[in-house]
Amino acid sequence: MTATLAPTLIRQDGRDKVTGSGRYAADLTVTGMLHGAFRVAEVPHARIRRLDTTAARALPGVYAIITAADVPEVRYGAFLKDRTIFARDVVRWEGELIAAVAAATPEIAAQAAALIEVDLEPLLAVTDLETATRPDAPLVHAEWATYEADENLVRDGNLASRSTIVKGDADGGMADAYIVVKDRYVADGSHAVPIEPRAILAEWQGDHVTIWSSTQVPFAARSGVAETLGMPQNQVRVIVPHLGGGFGAKCELGFEPQVAALAQTAGRPVKVVFSRREEFLLPDHRRERMILELETGVRRDGTIVARRAHLIIDNGAYSMDEPFLGQMAAMFAVGPYRIPNVDVSADVVYTNTQPSGSVRAPTGPTTCWALEQHHDVVAERLGLDPVEFRRRNLVHEGDTGPTGQVFERIGALETLEHAAAAIGWGRPLPDGEAIGIATGWWPSFPGASGANVTINADGSGTIVTGAQECGTGAVMALPILAAEVLGMRPDEFRILYQDTDAGPYDGGASGSQTTFNNGRAVIAAATEVREQLLDLAADLLEANRADLELIDGMARVKGSQTSSVSIADLASQAAGAGLLLGRGSGEPPPTPAVETANCVGRLGAESFAAPTFFTHAAHVKVDRDTGVVRVLEIAASHESGVVINPIGATGQIYGGVAMGIGQALSEGVLLSEDGRQRNPYLLDYKLQTVADVPPIHVDFVDAPSPTGGPKGLKGIAEPPCVPTPGAIANAIVRAAGSRVRELPMTPERVWRALASTNGEN
Amino acid sequence: MGGRFTSPTALADALAATAAGHRPVAGGTDLVVGTRQGKWSLPEDLVALDRIEELRGIEETSGGLRIGATTSHADLAGHPAIRKRWTAIADAASIVGSPATRHIGTLGGNLANASPAAETSGPLLCFDAQVEVRSTAGSRRIALADLFNGPGRTTVRSDELIVAVELSELAGVGSSYVRLEFRRQMEIAVVGATAVVSLDGAIVIDARIAITALAPTVRRVAVAEFALVGTDGGPDAAAEAGRLAAEAATPISDVRASLEYRRAMAAVVVRRAVTGAIARARGETIPIPASASLFGAR
């Protein structure tokens, strides 16, 4: 590992969080504050015949009730503007908001919400993914054709988005193949389950509103409020107190407009705090359900010659970022492999269920789980060792990706070799135990981002950033980069973050992009300050500016022990004259050129910028009589460009693996026939506990990317949960003899697979 | 709003409050969690039992044990006599919920909640536990077998408090409680089984087998017990007991598992519980909790 700048960074927010002195949105109270509650549809599809708030308004302690009639009629959505902040005429999923109530206490608000009379005429609900794609299926949005949408979006009725990847001649490749293997996988939806159920507090003063919200993306929340309530962005201030995790579920516009509108109508500040149950039922970001049909043609030597795939992805009732994610899934269905002939399509379809949206590495773990099982099936049919099969097909520097992008320096193969070595691939194991392996890839997301760096009169530093700390430590690690530029220590900086009126724009804790983009911005801002310091020091030391360096808190003539001045002294001088102020954004690196003439639904994911590669190997034990799987050990090797904060990066891998184990074995949304969640509570939505997480061997492969972030780094937050389910799935087959083609691979599903097959593969 | 909350140190005061309609709360791990989950509203009036010294603790009596109602699962699981002579109780108490649940949740609360999935009920049933309940009018004893009326229902009257559980010594028995566990902590019984056996030489002379989460209440399965007596308790006998218990079970399908899976697992879990109890009766070591020790046992 190289470029390690801070082997033991102490997080600035750590003490606040573990001692309880830190404040989260739910902890806040402001003068005159009311409590809000939502009334939701509770049915999957219905026409609103009548909505009567009279009885609810009559309840003592109720201050305001708002519905769609009380807010501007604005349809919004990132790629497809198909939704409103309250239901208008039709409800399309059980969690859709119908009304909001502000009252003196949370109990009165809840009681009043229940008193709102809603007369609903049931409509036929579409919940099954394949049914939704049929021409005769009821339409989730009868008026779909009238919606404003991204011009590259391919849509038709319940089809919200189709993306294809076409390369070479898949039919010809299959015809030439030694064998062709085809199989099918089905995955349930799942949840992000942040430890903090969200809370939103809105307070108006005059024509401007301040919103404290547990969002991962404060700037998207700000622009979303401005768009839906029809106000300029500079009248909306979004502040995020400490955030108790998000994992994607708190991305995009959340419930800020509804609470802001409610507070405006009530004429008082209003706070809404979700219960755990609401955190399951109301958000529009659950991990998508998927059906994956995969087909691969290989030569006798194991070389892949062709890939066909068809994916059906659940969009849910409304479109958040899911239409875009179909294209990501199509890229993952090819995987980091050399495949000359490709024909992949991904259909994102509407259903009357909770909207899908980014949850940590959206579509990644599911597609990798299916593809890497499929690859083991292919290897098995060829009589090839799974590691050897991957070794023969993984991409190298100079190879072209699914859409023709040419790979720069990458370490895909090294991650395979390192993970296999770390787990002891091929070693003998007791009966019922086995090792499985899976490899995957994930893009980085270059984007605009800003930061300001100042040195105060006493020489201490302040970083003001628009970046959002969601618990990963990415924002906490920004001082490492500023400190290196300025010859200071990371602990000499304080960070002001997650206030849209303070920091410049950033895309938020989303897309593993904080260090990649905001790191670049902080370096640019610190570099401006560096220039200012060097100017001052050159005058003071009567030295040539080019001979100076910033080191150990001083500016000094390179190599000299005597000719130096402390940064604190320089700062003190500057305080009376030209202040030490730096602002930075930097230029996002370019995305690779691609060849996509034959592809449709190009929404930006056709080019994987600074892609990261990784392999996990899982050692499991299967209880054959019960189907219960225990993960005994994981080896995780990641090529993430370079790692600048090993504690943070390693922590991401621990957390990603733990999440990956949950996705593999226990986390799944159980839907009733009519599309309602049957397990929206933690007793029966089973997360993995700390007792279930095995030893994890972490390895980083260095391959600095010329088009990466600072020092050639790539995103690290999402990838660690991607290959874990696939590695576990492949281990289950090797331990117990049966392949489980449903996700999560619950004990009952494993047991059924064992019972229904005799070593079928 | 407007509710009354008392937290007495004397049992008499708690009994008076109960008589006045206060709902007792011990660890609150069922009451509060159920409220949050929307199962019920928090009662208006509560009497907390946690400050009443005489309700807590484990006392060795001449004939066995007397366990105070507010004794925590952690205290049960750690008690040397329970671990040695009433091992199935330690198996059960040591896997209730999480470490936090076990330190705050109580035996009396577990019984009063009357869940068909309650961990401690099966072992207590097999050990012929007697439950002492008290009201301002006096006290009475209820055999554990007569305590449960159905899911969430007991024969304890609303003016009564469970004050203690009494166990008599069963000489020379081996016992175990095994639960199907999807994860290693924070688990609830989808299928559980208790076995308590006595050996004469190599032969089973007495057997008690109870099934958990497989019927409206935790219950013993006489047909399986009967089949085990007279055998050597080996793999075939254990499997037969499992088969019979599974047949006698009346499982349901719900979000946790299908009826079919539950019934199949009943056979596995009973078999493992018998295997564990026999091994312990023979003096072999099956570490507590047996569920983890017997994971994957064929």
Side-chain angles (χ1 to χ4, degrees):
Chain A
M1 193 184 304
T2 61
T4 294
L5 300 180
T8 54
L9 177 79
I10 305 300
R11 289 176 62 148
Q12 219 173 79
D13 60 353
R15 184 179 292 268
D16 292 357
K17 287 180 175 173
V18 298
T19 60
S21 69
R23 288 287 170 264
Y24 294 79
D27 297 326
L28 303 180
T29 298
V30 300
T31 303
M33 187 180 85
L34 302 173
H35 299 269
F38 290 122
R39 174 65 183 264
V40 303
E42 290 180 357
V43 297
H45 200 188
R47 186 171 307 283
I48 302 172
R49 271 197 293 238
R50 195 176 62 91
L51 190 54
D52 187 346
T53 59
T54 314
R57 283 179 201 279
L59 192 69
V62 171
Y63 284 74
I65 298 179
I66 59 170
T67 68
D70 304 299
V71 295
E73 184 170 359
V74 175
R75 288 200 179 270
Y76 69 99
F79 293 85
L80 174 49
K81 296 183 185 299
D82 59 8
R83 65 180 312 186
T84 53
I85 61 174
F86 290 106
R88 286 185 182 267
D89 307 327
V90 175
V91 292
R92 296 182 175 85
W93 65 293
E94 63 170 324
E96 185 157 5
L97 303 188
I98 291 178
V101 179
T105 69
E107 291 79 10
I108 296 172
Q111 201 187 341
L115 282 174
I116 296 171
E117 292 172 34
V118 186
D119 183 5
L120 295 172
E121 173 194 345
L123 298 172
L124 214 50
V126 190
T127 57
D128 178 72
L129 276 183
E130 283 178 308
T131 305
T133 64
R134 289 193 196 125
D136 60 343
L139 289 175
V140 175
H141 290 267
E143 62 278 40
W144 66 273
T146 66
Y147 295 156
E148 195 184 319
D150 187 292
E151 59 180 10
N152 287 325
L153 216 51
V154 176
R155 302 188 292 143
D156 184 15
N158 283 340
L159 178 70
S161 166
R162 168 172 294 155
S163 293
T164 66
I165 297 175
V166 179
K167 175 186 176 186
D169 172 14
D171 291 346
M174 292 294 177
D176 291 345
Y178 169 61
I179 52 167
V180 173
V181 174
K182 195 171 177 176
D183 58 356
R184 182 177 195 269
Y185 299 86
V186 179
D188 292 340
S190 60
H191 286 290
V193 203
I195 196 166
E196 175 206 25
R198 71 197 65 205
I200 303 108
L201 164 57
E203 179 182 40
W204 289 81
Q205 291 183 60
D207 61 359
H208 56 282
V209 63
T210 303
I211 304 170
W212 292 264
S213 174
S214 29
T215 174
Q216 289 174 249
V217 288
F219 284 93
R222 181 179 73 163
S223 59
V225 170
E227 179 185 4
T228 53
L229 299 186
M231 28 191 316
Q233 291 186 9
N234 67 1
Q235 289 177 10
V236 182
R237 179 182 184 189
V238 176
I239 300 172
V240 187
H242 283 315
L243 184 67
F247 305 98
K250 295 172 183 167
C251 282
E252 298 187 86
L253 184 58
F255 298 84
E256 293 88 359
Q258 291 91 344
V259 181
L262 186 59
Q264 190 173 34
T265 303
R268 300 261 294 258
V270 176
K271 178 166 76 170
V272 171
V273 180
F274 273 18
S275 66
R276 177 57 66 185
R277 184 180 167 80
E278 287 171 315
E279 189 60 35
F280 274 110
L281 288 171
L282 272 55
D284 39 32
H285 271 69
R286 56 101 197 261
R287 193 183 287 288
E288 52 286 301
R289 283 189 293 167
M290 287 175 76
I291 297 173
L292 307 98
E293 287 169 353
L294 304 169
E295 185 180 355
T296 300
V298 283
R299 296 206 184 91
R300 196 163 197 155
D301 67 359
T303 314
I304 303 175
V305 288
R307 159 75 33 80
R308 262 198 291 257
H310 180 56
L311 315 178
I312 306 177
I313 302 169
D314 192 357
N315 191 46
Y318 293 100
S319 303
M320 300 306 284
D321 48 8
E322 201 64 34
F324 165 76
L325 299 175
Q327 199 185 18
M328 301 275 291
M331 293 289 277
F332 298 137
V334 184
Y337 296 94
R338 285 184 293 214
I339 309 180
N341 304 297
V342 172
D343 183 357
V344 173
S345 63
D347 287 353
V348 179
V349 301
Y350 280 119
T351 62
N352 291 110
T353 66
Q354 185 170 34
S356 300
S358 55
V359 169
R360 194 178 194 166
T363 75
T366 308
T367 312
C368 186
W369 162 81
L371 181 66
E372 290 296 277
Q373 289 215 75
H374 177 69
H375 281 159
D376 265 27
V377 175
V378 174
E380 165 88 25
R381 289 277 302 278
L382 290 165
L384 261 184
D385 175 84
V387 171
E388 182 57 29
F389 174 78
R390 289 171 176 79
R391 196 178 278 138
R392 291 182 189 184
N393 287 291
L394 279 173
V395 289
H396 294 66
E397 181 174 349
D399 286 338
T400 55
T403 51
Q405 79 178 76
V406 178
F407 291 114
E408 299 165 330
R409 184 180 166 195
I410 55 171
L413 191 64
E414 288 89 334
T415 69
L416 175 72
E417 304 294 0
H418 290 194
I423 203 82
W425 181 260
R427 72 186 149 112
L429 291 169
D431 185 46
E433 295 183 22
I435 291 168
I437 204 156
T439 301
W441 68 325
W442 185 260
S444 299
F445 291 95
S449 181
N452 299 327
V453 172
T454 57
I455 301 295
N456 304 300
D458 62 354
S460 63
T462 300
I463 298 171
V464 182
T465 174
Q468 169 64 36
E469 174 61 60
C470 73
T472 65
V475 171
M476 295 300 109
L478 292 169
I480 297 173
L481 297 166
E484 192 199 24
V485 171
L486 295 170
M488 294 168 64
R489 295 190 318 273
D491 65 2
E492 292 179 285
F493 293 86
R494 282 294 298 181
I495 317 163
L496 171 61
Y497 54 109
Q498 45 214 41
D499 178 343
T500 56
D501 271 10
Y505 173 84
D506 177 82
S510 162
S512 309
Q513 66 93 37
T514 300
T515 314
F516 192 100
N517 291 313
N518 203 245
R520 181 187 71 238
V522 166
I523 288 173
T527 301
E528 279 200 7
V529 175
R530 178 186 171 84
E531 299 303 318
Q532 295 159 11
L533 284 169
L534 290 176
D535 284 344
L536 278 172
D539 279 355
L540 206 77
L541 298 174
E542 295 177 351
N544 187 339
R545 206 174 168 288
D547 293 338
L548 296 176
E549 62 181 350
L550 298 181
I551 187 166
D552 296 337
M554 291 181 303
R556 72 177 185 196
V557 175
K558 283 176 197 159
S560 163
Q561 295 304 315
T562 52
S563 189
S564 68
V565 57
S566 73
I567 288 175
D569 285 345
L570 292 173
S572 162
Q573 288 214 355
L579 295 172
L580 297 169
L581 305 174
R583 63 197 172 93
S585 169
E587 187 74 20
T591 53
V594 291
E595 178 51 62
T596 54
N598 298 321
C599 308
V600 304
R602 291 185 298 276
L603 300 167
E606 64 275 8
S607 177
F608 268 18
T612 159
F613 300 86
F614 35 79
T615 302
H616 286 190
H619 173 190
V620 310
K621 180 173 183 180
V622 180
D623 184 339
R624 289 199 192 107
D625 287 339
T626 63
V628 176
V629 176
R630 297 260 190 266
V631 181
L632 305 180
E633 194 180 5
I634 295 272
S637 180
H638 285 250
E639 185 265 275
S640 188
V642 293
V643 169
I644 60 166
N645 177 22
I647 282 191
T650 304
Q652 284 288 14
I653 291 183
Y654 289 159
V657 166
M659 197 165 175
I661 295 172
Q663 291 170 143
L665 299 177
S666 60
E667 292 188 48
V669 175
L670 298 170
L671 289 178
S672 67
E673 285 287 306
D674 65 354
R676 301 191 64 186
Q677 293 188 51
R678 297 174 66 211
N679 57 337
Y681 48 94
L682 287 171
L683 187 59
D684 286 311
Y685 182 91
K686 288 202 185 290
L687 299 169
Q688 297 291 296
T689 72
V690 68
D692 297 293
V693 179
I696 301 164
H697 311 289
V698 176
D699 170 73
F700 293 109
V701 172
D702 267 353
S705 169
T707 54
K711 301 179 186 299
L713 67 80
K714 303 172 180 176
I716 187 68
E718 291 163 292
C721 73
V722 173
T724 321
I728 292 170
N730 285 332
I732 291 172
V733 190
R734 293 164 73 85
S738 293
R739 195 164 284 288
V740 187
R741 289 185 164 85
E742 291 170 286
L743 194 69
M745 300 174 288
T746 59
E748 183 163 350
R749 284 172 171 170
V750 173
W751 175 78
R752 284 186 192 282
L754 293 176
S756 69
T757 60
N758 263 328
E760 178 268 343
N761 195 12
Chain B
M1 283 175 292
R4 290 169 300 168
F5 178 82
T6 57
S7 180
T9 54
L11 179 56
D13 294 338
L15 293 173
T18 307
H22 289 229
R23 172 89 185 266
V25 56
T29 55
D30 286 310
L31 186 71
V32 176
V33 174
T35 304
R36 286 283 176 93
Q37 220 173 291
K39 277 189 192 169
W40 48 64
S41 303
L42 207 59
E44 283 283 293
D45 301 322
L46 285 170
V47 52
L49 307 181
D50 60 311
R51 294 173 68 212
I52 305 171
E53 289 291 334
E54 69 180 285
L55 286 183
R56 182 183 289 267
I58 303 168
E59 183 191 340
E60 297 206 41
T61 58
S62 56
L65 284 185
R66 180 182 165 87
I67 305 168
T70 63
T71 303
S72 71
H73 299 295
D75 286 344
L76 287 174
H79 194 270
I82 291 177
R83 293 177 73 85
K84 194 163 163 44
R85 281 140 54 199
W86 290 274
T87 319
I89 297 175
D91 281 334
S94 63
I95 59 175
V96 172
S98 67
T101 324
R102 293 192 285 277
H103 279 88
I104 196 167
T106 68
L107 178 63
N110 201 216
L111 293 176
N113 192 52
S115 163
E119 312 298 350
T120 54
S121 301
L124 291 176
L125 188 61
C126 290
F127 283 121
D128 288 335
Q130 295 279 317
V131 179
E132 185 190 337
V133 299
R134 216 177 282 181
S135 68
T136 49
S139 78
R140 65 184 178 117
R141 284 179 148 60
I142 308 173
L144 199 90
D146 299 326
L147 186 73
F148 303 121
N149 253 348
R153 294 202 311 271
T154 69
T155 53
V156 181
R157 295 193 309 262
S158 64
D159 66 335
E160 289 176 324
L161 282 180
I162 296 176
V163 295
V165 173
E166 292 186 345
L167 293 168
S168 42
E169 179 87 49
L170 292 174
V173 303
S175 68
S176 79
Y177 174 75
V178 172
R179 178 180 73 179
L180 177 66
E181 294 178 313
F182 294 163
R183 59 184 174 190
R184 290 188 238 207
Q185 288 287 329
M186 298 297 290
E187 200 46 286
I188 185 165
V190 173
V191 174
T194 310
V196 178
V197 300
S198 303
L199 298 180
D200 182 0
I203 302 301
V204 178
I205 54 167
D206 186 36
R208 294 150 186 232
I209 294 172
I211 51 177
T212 299
L214 284 162
T217 62
V218 173
R219 52 164 285 214
R220 280 173 61 176
V221 191
V223 60
E225 296 175 346
F226 187 72
L228 192 60
V229 172
T231 72
D232 62 356
D236 292 345
E240 179 63 6
R243 192 185 66 77
L244 291 167
E247 263 180 21
T250 52
I252 56 163
S253 283
D254 65 10
V255 293
R256 290 175 194 155
S258 70
L259 184 159
E260 185 191 5
Y261 180 65
R262 276 196 168 92
R263 197 183 291 285
M265 291 308 100
V268 175
V269 169
V270 168
R271 190 189 78 212
R272 287 182 185 168
V274 169
T275 302
I278 296 277
R280 283 172 174 161
R282 288 179 185 148
E284 297 163 20
T285 301
I286 304 285
I288 299 166
S291 296
S293 303
L294 296 170
F295 177 80
R298 301 308 299 263

